[in-house]
Every structure is written in C-alpha cells, then in structure tokens.
Amino acid sequence: MKKKMGALMAAWLLSAAAIAQNYTQYVDPLIGTGGHGHVFLGANVPYGMVQVGPTQHKRGWDWCSGYHYSDSVMVGFGQMHLSGTGIGDLGDIALLPSTVAGEKEVAFSHRGERARPGYYAVTLNSGVRVELTATCRVAFHRYSFPADVRKGYVLLNLNQGIGWDKMTKCHYEQTSPTEVTGFRLSTGWAKNQQVYFVARFSQPMQLNRHEADSVVVFETDVLDAPLMVKVGISAVSVENARANLQAELPAWNFREVAAEADKKWNGELSKISIETSDEHARRIFYTAMYHSMFAPSVFSDVNGDYRGADGGVHRADFQNYTTFSLWDTYRAAHPLMTIIHPEKQRDIAQTMLHIFQQQGKLPVWHLVGNETDCMVGNPGIPVVVDIALKGYDVDREAVFQAAKASALKEDRGLGLLKKYGYIPTDLDPEFETVAKGLEYALADACVALLAKELGHMDDYRYFLKRSQSYRDHYFDPSTGFMRGVTSQGKFREPFNPFHSVHRQDDYTEGNAWQYVWLVPHDVRGLVKLFGSEKAFTQKLDSLFLLEDTDMGADASPDITGLIGQYAHGNEPSHHILYLYNYVGQPWKAAPRLRYIMNNLYRDDIDGLCGNEDVGQMSAWYILSSLGLYQVEPAGGKYVFGSPLFNEATLHVGKGKTFRIVAHNNSPENIYIQSARLNGKPYTRSYLLFRDLMRGGTLEFVMGNQPSSFGAKVKDRP
C-alpha cells in the first residue's frame, strides 16, 4: 500500500511540475500560415467553439482559414474559423475597427503582429491596434485607437464569410447603447449554418450608417481607454449567446482573460513533456500539440443546448462537439487523443452516437452540426469503434449498432458495394471507387472486430468478408496495384499508376502508387498478395525511389511532401513507413521517418508540407516523434518507429504517466537496438494501448547500425 501511495504521489508531483512549466512559450502560431498549411491564426482556447481571428481580402485555396502569410489586407475579424482544411467556410460575425467611417478593408504589416496561444494582436496601417483573446464561447476584442483620432468606427459585417460560405439571411438589432444582437444564417460547405450573437461594447456606440441588414457601421467618441467588445455566440438562439457571454465573460479585464486562455493552453500542452537540446524540434513539437487541439470543437451552450444534425435543438448531458474531419483524423489525431485526452472520449463517442440518431449514420465530415459528406469511406466508424475497443465508458452495443447501420446504408456507393462486393467504376458517377472501396473495407474491419467482441458472429463473418474486398476485387496481380473494376468484373483501362486526375479518377487525392498500401487492417493479407515478404518489400522500397514521374496536369494539389511517390502532405500515405515493421525490416523506416520529421516539418512560416487537416499532420509528427504510430485503424496497437527525443513523459489520466526514454539517441543513432518495458526486456515491435495507459516506462537503446529489433507485427485476427 505504501509503495502504491508513493507511486501515486510521485506521479502527482510530476504532473504538477509539468503544469508549472511554461509550455506556451514554445508555440509559434505562425508555423503553417504560409505554403499550403492553411492553419488558423488568431485566439482560441483548446477545443473552443470560438476561433476569433483575422480574415483577409483574398480568396482561394490557400485562404481556407481566412489567413495566409502572403497577404497584407484585412477585411475583418471573424469569430469562427477552420484550421488546415482544403475548403473554406465560417468567418462569421466579422468586426473591423477603423478611423474612417465605412472602411471595409485595411492594410497591415507583419511587423505589427504578435501571436501566442490564446492571444493575437496586429497594428493596422490606420494606426488601430487590434488585440484578441477568447473563452470557449466568447470572443474578446480590444481596439486601441491613435491618440489624435476623435472618433472610432467599428464595421459589423454579417455578409462576409470565408470560401464557400454565403449569407442567406441575417439581422441585427441595437438593444442598448452598448449592446448589439442578431443572427447570421448561411450556406456553404455546411449547408445550414446558424450563428446567433450578442456583442457587448465597453462604451456607448451610435449608428453611423448601414447597408440593408448585412453591413452596419457604429461610431464612438474615442476615450483614453481602449474600446473593448465581447461577442458571445450560439448555434441555438440570441438568448443562449447572451447566457454564454454572461457565464464565461462577465467582466472587462482583457489581460486576465488572455492569461486564463494561456493557462488553459499550458495545461493541455503539459500532457506531454519532452527532453531535447534541439530548440527548433521543441518548437515544432509544441506547435504541433497546439494545432492538434483546435478540433473537435465544442458545439453546445453553457446550458447544454446544441443544434443537432437534424436541425433541431437538443439538450445534452455530455459535451457536444463538431468539426470532425474524420477522413484525416481517424489515422493519428484520434488515436493520439485516446492517450492524452481520456477525459474527452466519452463525450466524443456520445456526440457521434447522437449524430447517428439524428441523421441515420455516423458522421463523415461534420461541420457546425451539418453533415457535409466530404471525402470517402466511413471514417466515423474507426474512431468510435477504437474508443469502444479501448475500454472507454461507452455503450459498446450502441456503438456496434450505429457502425453496422452506417455500413449498410445505400448512399455514397454503399448500395453498389452491397450488390457487387465492390464499387464498379462504370456505375458510380462520382468516381474515386478504389479509394472508396479501400476506405469502406478498413471501416468494415472495425465493425467486424467489435462484432466479434460482442459475440455477433454472423455479423463478424459478413463484415470480415467485406473487409477483404481489397483482395477479392481491387488488387491486380499482373500490375501489383489496386485498380478500378467495372460492373463486368474487368479492370478499367487505360491504366497509369502514376497518373492522377483530381476527383475524376479511381483514387482520392492520390494515385495507384499511394493507394496500394491502404490496407492497414490486414497488412499480412496485403503482403500475401505479392507472393512473398521479399516481393512486398521490394515494392515498398520502390515507392520511395520513383522520382521525377509525371502525375499529369490535372493531378490533385493535395499530393505534396513527395519522397518518390510517397506523399506525406496527404493522409493516405501516413501509415506506409510503419508497414516495414510488419515484414521485420524496421531499419528501412527509421531514416525516412527522421527525414520527414526533420525536413517536412519546419520551424518556419511554411513549416508544413501540406494542409494541416484539422490536426492530423501535427498528430502524425507528435506520435512519430515519440516513436509510436497506430497503423491498424482500431484496437490500439502502436507500432515503433524512431523516437526523436531523448525522453518524453505522457500524462495518460488518473494520475498516471508513461515515460519513453531513448538512450544514446542522436541524429546518427536512429535505429532501435533493444527495448525494456518497466525494467524487463521487451521484444515486440509495438506497444498495446492497455500497457501504455497503465503507466510505466518504455526504454529504447538507440544505435547507428540498422537493426531488425522486435518481432514482426501481426494483425489482429
């Protein structure tokens, strides 16, 4: 008993010491705002409903978050933004302070920008200093006008949105000299968006002018003190927006709110502490942690109300979330969350189960309560099944029934899959049939796993068979690739494994070279298709060596971060290097893993080799830098790679910690030579989730010689 109490006390002291450190100092929010990173820049708290930040005047693919470092003109500061997506939306309820009535855009210089977790500031060329911070549901603006300005103006623009977002109806009302309320309805990526707001000013505002109900200008006599604005939002009602504002931000102390946001970020960043002498790597790591915690975002009010997938208002006894970029995040972001955010897993599962009840299927890509059906497959299934298989507090039978029903739908090619056992390329007008089939297969494998756990053996056999469609239909042994198949059972011609036509061929944002490996649920079965481990390995080796190949003029812009044909800038490639562990050759992965971590993630404005994709790119780096990666989509088997840091301590909940120590680690010593788990020799080349969450210590001995350390990874039956 004394030993147990001592261990608990040590873990508590370690946790308290971690939180006492200042981790936010290592975050650079500007990383990924250039290139094609598409990350959000502004102020928010972890997983908050509000992401308040700048929206620029340019539009286009690189402005999906509303901001790109190459631009120098602001059109407003919206209360909601996306991060790292390939489609633009949100940007709702934009405010723009100015010294000229009616000014709709203002230039700025990056020299006047400052950003840290929970805080953003910029000095506009007009001389107005804009500072932003936030709570979960309330944005807090502070505007400091030049001393010689007699009047200050604030433009409220309800017409403005980002990307696809188009306002359909809006209204504002000045309910008092210091309060404006209203709503904005819009359609875009999410078809039925509703945002209600209450904006409260620190001093009286007078109406200067308006353009219909969508654009209005208020003015005020500029006093010595800055003008402050608090904006509470809700997807339900103005009354709820007011309640959110009053509950979370009753006072006017801007510094205190910014400090509290910093404290919340520090608490979340402290869930992993690392030891390294490489300050660039430290900054990349904690910025990745920061970027991984923007979503899923809270989507309910302080009283529990939220707008559901059916468009109705519901009240939850759990924390409801939205912004589920599941095609991206099922691969690494959610497996990471199950380790360092165990307290959120029940709420995420409950959210997904309620979405199922309201729309008849698990979420695909959910945004502000709307199903966008963006991307292919059934990516909600791996996420919720993974939570269930890892033993979190969720009704496993309800999860199974939701997953089963979602897999048996008729839409998005599923009807064809049920009829043919695959999706014929000549019968699906939306193309991408190979990508759809492979994504459905891995989701079906997850349904089969849970069915077996629950004793539903007929369902287990049915979904296991469907999960093998990659073998039974798509794999062409004559070429060694997964290929589109017609309704007559013939491979589609012509065929070029390098070629890509964005959204008009058999693959999603990729080509045949990148998709042949998308069988993470049955790697041993994939290996057998090549005839031998040697043939499989030769094919895998070739992936990284095929340089200077022509993908065609219409190739997807998402195919970035290339090493040969391996495309780290897009998610279907993220698990591929870890396949070497399944054939007992992990030494082939180690140098390329280190190359990616050291070169494709940079401490720079253009620091990401592709879209951040709502935390997935960052989550890959976090897990890989720890030396772990979950290849199989559900169940919790974390395959070893090449740990980047000398030591990392993960806080895994219930006062427990898990340490990963890499002895003799260096830029040259990249190969795992041996391992010990809790002081005992460890010979597996992977770690099970349950062993990780018990707490303890995993020690690697690193060396500069290639090593075949660890038994081959075996798939779960």
Side-chain angles (χ1 to χ4, degrees), residues 150-203:
R150 293 189 175 186
K151 283 187 180 294
Y153 303 92
V154 178
L155 177 80
L156 169 63
N157 192 337
L158 301 181
N159 188 51
Q160 180 182 301
I162 296 170
W164 292 7
D165 181 85
K166 303 295 180 187
M167 185 270 290
T168 56
K169 186 178 181 181
C170 66
H171 177 72
Y172 80 91
E173 179 181 356
Q174 188 168 11
T175 54
S176 79
T178 57
E179 184 179 273
V180 178
T181 68
F183 65 83
R184 182 178 189 270
L185 311 184
S186 63
T187 187
W189 192 5
K191 299 304 179 187
N192 179 26
Q193 302 180 47
Q194 302 185 40
V195 182
Y196 300 85
F197 71 94
V198 173
R200 196 165 290 165
F201 295 83
S202 61
Q203 57 195 58

Side-chain angles (χ1 to χ4, degrees), residues 110-422:
H110 293 301
R111 292 191 301 273
E113 281 186 302
R114 297 291 180 272
R116 62 178 185 268
Y119 175 84
Y120 172 81
V122 62
T123 299
L124 305 176
N125 285 5
S126 62
V128 179
R129 181 68 171 173
V130 177
E131 295 174 278
L132 307 172
T133 189
T135 64
C136 181
R137 300 171 179 86
V138 185
F140 200 177
H141 303 235
R142 181 164 70 174
Y143 309 142
S144 299
F145 289 85
D148 59 346
V149 172
R150 293 189 175 186
K151 283 187 180 294
Y153 303 92
V154 178
L155 177 80
L156 169 63
N157 192 337
L158 301 181
N159 188 51
Q160 180 182 301
I162 296 170
W164 292 7
D165 181 85
K166 303 295 180 187
M167 185 270 290
T168 56
K169 186 178 181 181
C170 66
H171 177 72
Y172 80 91
E173 179 181 356
Q174 188 168 11
T175 54
S176 79
T178 57
E179 184 179 273
V180 178
T181 68
F183 65 83
R184 182 178 189 270
L185 311 184
S186 63
T187 187
W189 192 5
K191 299 304 179 187
N192 179 26
Q193 302 180 47
Q194 302 185 40
V195 182
Y196 300 85
F197 71 94
V198 173
R200 196 165 290 165
F201 295 83
S202 61
Q203 57 195 58
M205 307 294 291
Q206 296 82 41
L207 178 65
N208 177 276
R209 67 183 69 182
H210 65 85
E211 300 174 12
D213 266 351
S214 62
V215 180
V216 59
V217 179
F218 296 98
E219 66 176 44
T220 185
D221 296 327
V222 177
L223 305 178
D224 293 336
L227 173 64
M228 293 183 283
V229 193
K230 300 184 289 190
V231 185
I233 63 171
S234 166
V236 173
S237 66
V238 167
E239 292 74 20
N240 278 21
R242 182 178 284 111
N244 290 343
L245 192 158
Q246 192 59 36
E248 294 188 356
L249 201 51
W252 289 97
N253 193 324
F254 185 91
R255 287 186 179 180
E256 188 176 279
V257 175
E260 182 62 25
D262 184 272
K263 181 180 178 181
K264 288 180 178 178
W265 275 114
N266 202 58
E268 296 294 345
L269 295 171
S270 71
K271 291 192 172 181
I272 304 179
S273 60
I274 60 171
E275 289 187 12
T276 180
S277 59
D278 186 338
E279 292 305 316
H280 291 290
R282 190 192 308 276
R283 198 150 40 243
I284 293 167
F285 180 87
Y286 283 107
T287 301
M289 287 279 285
Y290 169 72
H291 283 152
S292 76
M293 297 186 217
F294 291 176
S297 51
V298 167
F299 195 62
S300 58
D301 298 325
V302 291
N303 64 357
D305 287 354
Y306 70 96
R307 191 165 298 279
D310 56 1
V313 175
H314 304 263
R315 179 160 291 186
D317 60 357
F318 58 92
Q319 181 61 72
N320 188 65
Y321 288 96
T322 192
T323 322
F324 286 105
S325 181
L326 296 167
W327 183 84
D328 305 295
T329 58
Y330 83 79
R331 304 169 200 266
H334 280 282
L336 172 65
M337 284 190 74
T338 61
I339 298 172
I340 62 173
H341 297 294
E343 75 284 354
K344 298 187 184 302
Q345 299 312 303
R346 178 185 177 275
D347 289 339
I348 289 172
Q350 287 295 319
T351 296
M352 296 178 76
L353 290 174
H354 281 76
I355 288 172
F356 165 72
Q357 293 169 9
Q358 293 157 13
Q359 70 178 27
K361 65 182 179 184
L362 289 168
V364 178
W365 210 124
H366 238 249
L367 177 60
V368 288
N370 287 244
E371 181 56 77
T372 70
D373 277 328
C374 187
M375 308 309 291
V376 299
N378 263 325
I381 291 176
V383 172
V384 72
V385 170
D386 193 41
I387 292 171
L389 291 176
K390 286 174 176 175
Y392 282 109
D393 180 20
V394 59
D395 184 338
R396 298 206 302 171
E397 183 63 33
V399 169
F400 170 71
Q401 295 299 335
K404 176 182 175 181
S406 300
L408 294 176
K409 298 283 287 183
E410 295 289 325
D411 63 338
R412 304 170 63 247
L414 283 166
L416 292 170
L417 175 62
K418 288 192 292 183
K419 181 177 179 180
Y420 289 89
Y422 62 98

Side-chain angles (χ1 to χ4, degrees), residues 25 88 174 508 534 552:
Q25 68 178 311
Q174 188 168 11
T508 299
K534 181 179 179 181

Side-chain angles (χ1 to χ4, degrees), residues 493-516:
E493 298 288 354
F495 174 68
N496 181 338
F498 299 101
H499 206 246
S500 167
V501 181
H502 188 53
R503 303 193 69 181
Q504 293 187 43
D505 64 9
D506 296 328
Y507 311 97
T508 299
E509 300 177 1
N511 64 17
W513 267 105
Q514 289 140 19
Y515 268 89
V516 69

Side-chain angles (χ1 to χ4, degrees), residues 564-580:
Q565 289 297 295
Y566 173 89
H568 192 73
N570 209 25
E571 281 65 29
S573 288
H574 279 187
H575 70 292
I576 293 175
L577 275 166
Y578 292 93
L579 299 182
Y580 280 114

Side-chain angles (χ1 to χ4, degrees), residues 494-699:
F495 174 68
N496 181 338
F498 299 101
H499 206 246
S500 167
V501 181
H502 188 53
R503 303 193 69 181
Q504 293 187 43
D505 64 9
D506 296 328
Y507 311 97
T508 299
E509 300 177 1
N511 64 17
W513 267 105
Q514 289 140 19
Y515 268 89
V516 69
W517 318 104
L518 192 60
V519 190
H521 58 289
D522 187 16
V523 181
R524 300 305 305 167
L526 177 62
V527 171
K528 289 178 182 177
L529 291 181
F530 288 89
S532 67
E533 289 187 354
K534 181 179 179 181
F536 173 85
T537 305
Q538 288 174 341
K539 183 85 168 186
L540 186 53
D541 292 343
S542 298
L543 176 73
F544 300 95
L545 302 175
L546 293 164
E547 305 280 358
D548 301 321
T549 54
D550 182 12
M551 294 189 189
D554 298 315
S556 172
D558 299 278
I559 305 175
T560 57
L562 287 168
I563 305 173
Q565 289 297 295
Y566 173 89
H568 192 73
N570 209 25
E571 281 65 29
S573 288
H574 279 187
H575 70 292
I576 293 175
L577 275 166
Y578 292 93
L579 299 182
Y580 280 114
N581 287 53
Y582 288 75
V583 290
Q585 298 185 31
W587 71 86
K588 289 188 175 180
R592 292 188 174 113
L593 287 168
R594 288 291 184 103
Y595 175 84
I596 292 169
M597 288 186 275
N598 292 327
N599 294 276
L600 300 187
Y601 293 83
R602 299 184 303 279
D603 182 12
D604 186 66
I605 301 300
D606 185 8
L608 296 170
C609 66
N611 298 167
E612 163 63 10
D613 284 319
V614 198
Q616 169 60 26
M617 283 286 285
S618 288
W620 184 96
Y621 179 89
I622 295 164
L623 284 171
S624 293
S625 69
L626 299 174
L628 307 173
Y629 195 82
Q630 181 172 300
V631 173
E632 297 160 42
K637 188 183 293 176
Y638 292 83
V639 177
F640 295 158
S642 179
L644 190 62
F645 303 116
N646 301 334
E647 185 172 332
T649 301
L650 289 68
H651 297 269
V652 296
K654 299 181 180 179
K656 297 177 181 178
T657 61
F658 190 86
R659 292 172 63 236
I660 301 173
V661 181
H663 298 291
N664 305 325
N665 195 28
S666 72
E668 296 75 34
N669 293 347
I670 64 174
Y671 304 100
I672 298 174
Q673 307 292 307
S674 63
R676 299 178 73 86
L677 179 62
N678 299 324
K680 298 179 180 179
Y682 191 81
T683 57
R684 290 174 173 170
S685 61
Y686 59 90
L687 183 70
L688 295 176
F689 175 79
R690 63 174 178 265
D691 293 328
L692 197 161
M693 298 304 283
R694 289 186 185 120
T697 301
L698 175 65
E699 296 176 87

